[in-house]
Amino acid sequence: MEEVIRKVAAMGLPGVILVVVMATTGLTGAAAITSALAILGGPAGMLGGIAVLGITGTLTDILAKFGIELVLMRIYEKRSEIEPIEKLTQEIDKLPFISSGLKRKLTRIIDKKIVFVLVGRTGVGKSSTVNSLLGREVAKVGNYEPTTMSIESYEYEEKGTKLLIIDTPGLCDDLEEVGNDQEYLNLMRAKIPQMDSMWFVSRLDETRVTNDEKRGIKLVSETFGAKGWEYAVIVFTFANSVPASRYQEALDKRTELIKREIAKYAGEDIANTIPSVAVDNNNQTTPDGKQWLGEFFTKVFVRVSESGSLPLAAAMKDSLSTSTGEARISLNEQQKAEVKKKINKGLIGGLAYGGAVVGQILGPGGIVVGGLLGTVVGLWLELDRKNA
Ligand SMILES: Nc1nc2c(ncn2[C@@H]2O[C@H](COP(=O)(O)OP(=O)(O)OP(=O)(O)O)[C@@H](O)[C@H]2O)c(=O)[nH]1
Ligand SMILES: [Mg+2]
């Protein structure tokens, strides 16, 4: 299996086109090769040989078993080990017959990147929340002086996966310097080319949606469109600053108010699907006595864009790892099921494969060996172990 993937990957673009033709037309053997050659616009050396003819049979089986998404992800992951990312990105962009969703996924597999956008007023705990999730100080906490309008991003690498965290200071602050919304909008459009996860962060102990938060919601809506809110999670910090007796009410009420504001731009349907979660970066638990990190991780993971889900899973695998019996982020059975479902979707395009099939993806007879995809499948299997 690995051998066939390796051969096809070594062919470069002609190999990819062959796979695409076979998957989309059902053609095999010489007919598939002829058809791929026509698309490539002329004899492309590597497709001509007997050797290629020999593997189309196996390729047909692999495609039937694992689907085009996983096969292409695997081929590009393999190619990214030896070919320049830039070149591959441009190639993916021009691939025929492939949905833009799959193109985004393929691009993320090779550039191994995930982009978080943080929205919220100064001092609400945006940086602290990132640090809580990742389990280390990646973002500077505290001393920020909100004086200039800027967009700050910092990149952090975890096991080869890049996490790009984009902070939007000033967006939700009534600063004189910020003044011009159009300018901030242009800045955001220029500096944030893509987004996988957006956190709208606000303190739970505040009572209303402030004018600057409203303005932030408007600007975010204009930058990313309604679609941007599909990747959003509303994060309430300082959960323990609200008395336990008023905690649930505060959470419900504030969620409602913020969603109503978002609905003005994104519509009720999208606004109503946005989950909210209460956290406290100075405490492991919220006033209801529950450990919040598992729920927070799950909500962020489930909401992350389809293309970002696999890089995020790969980046987080070690900090979730339950193999030592000491999980930093522990998930209950329901949370595990939600995370597994999302990984399934990312790996095999939403087909309802069970654990047995995901297991088959890996290893000698499978299609995935090592790399980012291997890490993700490893996480899946770990979550699948009972009493893990
Ligand atoms: N009690 C409590 N304190 C928090 C919480 N989150 C953050 N803090 C504290 O609030 C202060 C500001 O936190 P940051 O994470 O720097 O806030 P920020 O939103 O990133 O701020 P800017 O980068 O200035 O926009 C720090 O002193 C944190 O320790 C929380 O959930 N509970
Ligand atoms: Mg910060």
mmCIF file of all heavy atoms in Angstrom, residues 258-284:
data_model
loop_
_atom_site.group_PDB
_atom_site.id
_atom_site.type_symbol
_atom_site.label_atom_id
_atom_site.label_comp_id
_atom_site.label_asym_id
_atom_site.label_seq_id
_atom_site.Cartn_x
_atom_site.Cartn_y
_atom_site.Cartn_z
ATOM 1 N N ILE A 258 -24.761 38.197 23.294
ATOM 2 C CA ILE A 258 -23.713 38.252 22.272
ATOM 3 C C ILE A 258 -24.198 37.616 20.968
ATOM 4 O O ILE A 258 -23.981 38.145 19.883
ATOM 5 C CB ILE A 258 -22.406 37.604 22.779
ATOM 6 C CG1 ILE A 258 -21.810 38.510 23.873
ATOM 7 C CG2 ILE A 258 -21.396 37.410 21.655
ATOM 8 C CD1 ILE A 258 -20.613 37.959 24.585
ATOM 9 N N LYS A 259 -24.903 36.506 21.088
ATOM 10 C CA LYS A 259 -25.453 35.870 19.884
ATOM 11 C C LYS A 259 -26.413 36.799 19.154
ATOM 12 O O LYS A 259 -26.446 36.841 17.929
ATOM 13 C CB LYS A 259 -26.188 34.580 20.246
ATOM 14 C CG LYS A 259 -25.280 33.400 20.483
ATOM 15 C CD LYS A 259 -26.136 32.181 20.675
ATOM 16 C CE LYS A 259 -25.306 30.944 20.925
ATOM 17 N NZ LYS A 259 -26.169 29.798 21.207
ATOM 18 N N ARG A 260 -27.193 37.526 19.932
ATOM 19 C CA ARG A 260 -28.159 38.437 19.320
ATOM 20 C C ARG A 260 -27.426 39.508 18.510
ATOM 21 O O ARG A 260 -27.859 39.900 17.432
ATOM 22 C CB ARG A 260 -29.029 39.075 20.408
ATOM 23 C CG ARG A 260 -30.371 39.538 19.860
ATOM 24 C CD ARG A 260 -31.202 40.230 20.911
ATOM 25 N NE ARG A 260 -31.599 39.353 22.001
ATOM 26 C CZ ARG A 260 -32.022 39.798 23.189
ATOM 27 N NH1 ARG A 260 -32.066 41.102 23.444
ATOM 28 N NH2 ARG A 260 -32.384 38.963 24.123
ATOM 29 N N GLU A 261 -26.315 39.951 19.043
ATOM 30 C CA GLU A 261 -25.515 40.958 18.351
ATOM 31 C C GLU A 261 -24.909 40.376 17.057
ATOM 32 O O GLU A 261 -24.931 41.020 16.007
ATOM 33 C CB GLU A 261 -24.415 41.453 19.298
ATOM 34 C CG GLU A 261 -23.746 42.735 18.894
ATOM 35 C CD GLU A 261 -24.700 43.921 18.766
ATOM 36 O OE1 GLU A 261 -25.682 44.008 19.538
ATOM 37 O OE2 GLU A 261 -24.460 44.748 17.861
ATOM 38 N N ILE A 262 -24.416 39.153 17.156
ATOM 39 C CA ILE A 262 -23.826 38.498 15.983
ATOM 40 C C ILE A 262 -24.891 38.239 14.918
ATOM 41 O O ILE A 262 -24.648 38.382 13.723
ATOM 42 C CB ILE A 262 -23.123 37.168 16.394
ATOM 43 C CG1 ILE A 262 -21.932 37.467 17.312
ATOM 44 C CG2 ILE A 262 -22.665 36.387 15.166
ATOM 45 C CD1 ILE A 262 -21.308 36.244 17.969
ATOM 46 N N ALA A 263 -26.096 37.893 15.371
ATOM 47 C CA ALA A 263 -27.191 37.577 14.446
ATOM 48 C C ALA A 263 -27.523 38.744 13.524
ATOM 49 O O ALA A 263 -27.995 38.555 12.403
ATOM 50 C CB ALA A 263 -28.430 37.149 15.225
ATOM 51 N N LYS A 264 -27.245 39.957 13.974
ATOM 52 C CA LYS A 264 -27.520 41.133 13.145
ATOM 53 C C LYS A 264 -26.749 41.068 11.830
ATOM 54 O O LYS A 264 -27.164 41.615 10.826
ATOM 55 C CB LYS A 264 -27.105 42.420 13.877
ATOM 56 C CG LYS A 264 -28.006 42.787 15.025
ATOM 57 C CD LYS A 264 -27.532 44.094 15.642
ATOM 58 C CE LYS A 264 -28.306 44.404 16.916
ATOM 59 N NZ LYS A 264 -27.658 45.490 17.679
ATOM 60 N N TYR A 265 -25.599 40.428 11.874
ATOM 61 C CA TYR A 265 -24.747 40.355 10.676
ATOM 62 C C TYR A 265 -24.760 38.976 10.040
ATOM 63 O O TYR A 265 -24.703 38.849 8.825
ATOM 64 C CB TYR A 265 -23.299 40.734 11.025
ATOM 65 C CG TYR A 265 -23.219 42.049 11.732
ATOM 66 C CD1 TYR A 265 -23.172 42.117 13.120
ATOM 67 C CD2 TYR A 265 -23.235 43.240 11.001
ATOM 68 C CE1 TYR A 265 -23.131 43.334 13.772
ATOM 69 C CE2 TYR A 265 -23.201 44.462 11.642
ATOM 70 C CZ TYR A 265 -23.147 44.506 13.034
ATOM 71 O OH TYR A 265 -23.117 45.713 13.674
ATOM 72 N N ALA A 266 -24.800 37.934 10.869
ATOM 73 C CA ALA A 266 -24.646 36.573 10.346
ATOM 74 C C ALA A 266 -25.990 35.845 10.211
ATOM 75 O O ALA A 266 -26.059 34.783 9.612
ATOM 76 C CB ALA A 266 -23.715 35.771 11.247
ATOM 77 N N GLY A 267 -27.046 36.430 10.747
ATOM 78 C CA GLY A 267 -28.346 35.767 10.726
ATOM 79 C C GLY A 267 -28.525 34.872 11.948
ATOM 80 O O GLY A 267 -27.554 34.420 12.541
ATOM 81 N N GLU A 268 -29.807 34.636 12.268
ATOM 82 C CA GLU A 268 -30.139 33.829 13.455
ATOM 83 C C GLU A 268 -29.577 32.414 13.366
ATOM 84 O O GLU A 268 -29.059 31.878 14.349
ATOM 85 C CB GLU A 268 -31.663 33.698 13.603
ATOM 86 C CG GLU A 268 -32.404 34.990 13.884
ATOM 87 C CD GLU A 268 -32.373 35.323 15.371
ATOM 88 O OE1 GLU A 268 -32.144 34.397 16.166
ATOM 89 O OE2 GLU A 268 -32.561 36.511 15.715
ATOM 90 N N ASP A 269 -29.677 31.816 12.187
ATOM 91 C CA ASP A 269 -29.309 30.403 12.069
ATOM 92 C C ASP A 269 -27.852 30.163 12.432
ATOM 93 O O ASP A 269 -27.539 29.246 13.193
ATOM 94 C CB ASP A 269 -29.576 29.891 10.650
ATOM 95 C CG ASP A 269 -31.072 29.715 10.410
ATOM 96 O OD1 ASP A 269 -31.836 29.843 11.390
ATOM 97 O OD2 ASP A 269 -31.465 29.455 9.258
ATOM 98 N N ILE A 270 -26.986 30.987 11.876
ATOM 99 C CA ILE A 270 -25.558 30.820 12.171
ATOM 100 C C ILE A 270 -25.268 31.215 13.613
ATOM 101 O O ILE A 270 -24.577 30.503 14.351
ATOM 102 C CB ILE A 270 -24.688 31.622 11.180
ATOM 103 C CG1 ILE A 270 -24.720 30.936 9.809
ATOM 104 C CG2 ILE A 270 -23.254 31.760 11.685
ATOM 105 C CD1 ILE A 270 -23.897 31.598 8.735
ATOM 106 N N ALA A 271 -25.858 32.329 14.055
ATOM 107 C CA ALA A 271 -25.596 32.793 15.422
ATOM 108 C C ALA A 271 -25.996 31.737 16.453
ATOM 109 O O ALA A 271 -25.294 31.518 17.440
ATOM 110 C CB ALA A 271 -26.318 34.106 15.681
ATOM 111 N N ASN A 272 -27.124 31.081 16.206
ATOM 112 C CA ASN A 272 -27.609 30.118 17.194
ATOM 113 C C ASN A 272 -26.750 28.865 17.326
ATOM 114 O O ASN A 272 -26.849 28.146 18.320
ATOM 115 C CB ASN A 272 -29.056 29.727 16.886
ATOM 116 C CG ASN A 272 -30.009 30.840 17.293
ATOM 117 O OD1 ASN A 272 -29.692 31.641 18.175
ATOM 118 N ND2 ASN A 272 -31.157 30.901 16.636
ATOM 119 N N THR A 273 -25.929 28.594 16.323
ATOM 120 C CA THR A 273 -25.084 27.395 16.428
ATOM 121 C C THR A 273 -23.773 27.665 17.176
ATOM 122 O O THR A 273 -23.027 26.746 17.464
ATOM 123 C CB THR A 273 -24.687 26.856 15.036
ATOM 124 O OG1 THR A 273 -23.942 27.868 14.353
ATOM 125 C CG2 THR A 273 -25.897 26.482 14.211
ATOM 126 N N ILE A 274 -23.492 28.938 17.467
ATOM 127 C CA ILE A 274 -22.205 29.240 18.103
ATOM 128 C C ILE A 274 -22.223 28.801 19.563
ATOM 129 O O ILE A 274 -23.067 29.235 20.340
ATOM 130 C CB ILE A 274 -21.888 30.755 18.025
ATOM 131 C CG1 ILE A 274 -21.944 31.226 16.569
ATOM 132 C CG2 ILE A 274 -20.524 31.068 18.636
ATOM 133 C CD1 ILE A 274 -21.766 32.732 16.398
ATOM 134 N N PRO A 275 -21.307 27.928 19.942
ATOM 135 C CA PRO A 275 -21.288 27.483 21.334
ATOM 136 C C PRO A 275 -20.596 28.503 22.229
ATOM 137 O O PRO A 275 -19.785 29.301 21.761
ATOM 138 C CB PRO A 275 -20.474 26.192 21.288
ATOM 139 C CG PRO A 275 -19.569 26.344 20.111
ATOM 140 C CD PRO A 275 -20.250 27.285 19.142
ATOM 141 N N SER A 276 -20.926 28.481 23.486
ATOM 142 C CA SER A 276 -20.202 29.327 24.428
ATOM 143 C C SER A 276 -19.662 28.442 25.541
ATOM 144 O O SER A 276 -20.190 27.370 25.818
ATOM 145 C CB SER A 276 -21.116 30.404 24.998
ATOM 146 O OG SER A 276 -22.102 29.814 25.809
ATOM 147 N N VAL A 277 -18.588 28.897 26.134
ATOM 148 C CA VAL A 277 -17.978 28.104 27.193
ATOM 149 C C VAL A 277 -17.373 29.054 28.214
ATOM 150 O O VAL A 277 -16.884 30.127 27.864
ATOM 151 C CB VAL A 277 -16.934 27.131 26.577
ATOM 152 C CG1 VAL A 277 -15.853 27.871 25.838
ATOM 153 C CG2 VAL A 277 -16.319 26.233 27.632
ATOM 154 N N ALA A 278 -17.482 28.664 29.483
ATOM 155 C CA ALA A 278 -16.900 29.500 30.535
ATOM 156 C C ALA A 278 -15.581 28.898 30.982
ATOM 157 O O ALA A 278 -15.457 27.675 31.125
ATOM 158 C CB ALA A 278 -17.857 29.584 31.717
ATOM 159 N N VAL A 279 -14.581 29.747 31.135
ATOM 160 C CA VAL A 279 -13.259 29.284 31.574
ATOM 161 C C VAL A 279 -12.763 30.179 32.700
ATOM 162 O O VAL A 279 -13.307 31.259 32.928
ATOM 163 C CB VAL A 279 -12.230 29.312 30.408
ATOM 164 C CG1 VAL A 279 -12.788 28.651 29.165
ATOM 165 C CG2 VAL A 279 -11.788 30.728 30.072
ATOM 166 N N ASP A 280 -11.767 29.702 33.388
ATOM 167 C CA ASP A 280 -11.089 30.586 34.334
ATOM 168 C C ASP A 280 -9.610 30.246 34.332
ATOM 169 O O ASP A 280 -9.224 29.157 34.749
ATOM 170 C CB ASP A 280 -11.669 30.460 35.745
ATOM 171 C CG ASP A 280 -11.203 31.632 36.603
ATOM 172 O OD1 ASP A 280 -9.987 31.924 36.614
ATOM 173 O OD2 ASP A 280 -12.057 32.289 37.234
ATOM 174 N N ASN A 281 -8.840 31.153 33.807
ATOM 175 C CA ASN A 281 -7.417 30.867 33.621
ATOM 176 C C ASN A 281 -6.631 30.812 34.921
ATOM 177 O O ASN A 281 -5.472 30.415 34.923
ATOM 178 C CB ASN A 281 -6.807 31.876 32.651
ATOM 179 C CG ASN A 281 -7.410 31.733 31.266
ATOM 180 O OD1 ASN A 281 -7.321 30.667 30.661
ATOM 181 N ND2 ASN A 281 -8.068 32.777 30.779
ATOM 182 N N ASN A 282 -7.278 31.170 36.016
ATOM 183 C CA ASN A 282 -6.613 31.057 37.311
ATOM 184 C C ASN A 282 -7.133 29.885 38.129
ATOM 185 O O ASN A 282 -6.762 29.715 39.282
ATOM 186 C CB ASN A 282 -6.793 32.345 38.124
ATOM 187 C CG ASN A 282 -5.896 33.466 37.609
ATOM 188 O OD1 ASN A 282 -5.146 33.267 36.665
ATOM 189 N ND2 ASN A 282 -5.980 34.625 38.226
ATOM 190 N N ASN A 283 -8.024 29.111 37.537
ATOM 191 C CA ASN A 283 -8.630 27.993 38.247
ATOM 192 C C ASN A 283 -8.834 26.810 37.308
ATOM 193 O O ASN A 283 -9.098 27.007 36.128
ATOM 194 C CB ASN A 283 -10.035 28.384 38.740
ATOM 195 C CG ASN A 283 -9.999 29.031 40.098
ATOM 196 O OD1 ASN A 283 -9.832 28.372 41.109
ATOM 197 N ND2 ASN A 283 -10.171 30.340 40.100
ATOM 198 N N GLN A 284 -8.761 25.612 37.847
ATOM 199 C CA GLN A 284 -9.037 24.449 37.002
ATOM 200 C C GLN A 284 -10.532 24.218 36.831
ATOM 201 O O GLN A 284 -10.958 23.550 35.890
ATOM 202 C CB GLN A 284 -8.408 23.192 37.625
ATOM 203 C CG GLN A 284 -6.893 23.263 37.610
ATOM 204 C CD GLN A 284 -6.252 21.896 37.625
ATOM 205 O OE1 GLN A 284 -6.886 20.904 37.964
ATOM 206 N NE2 GLN A 284 -4.988 21.856 37.269
#
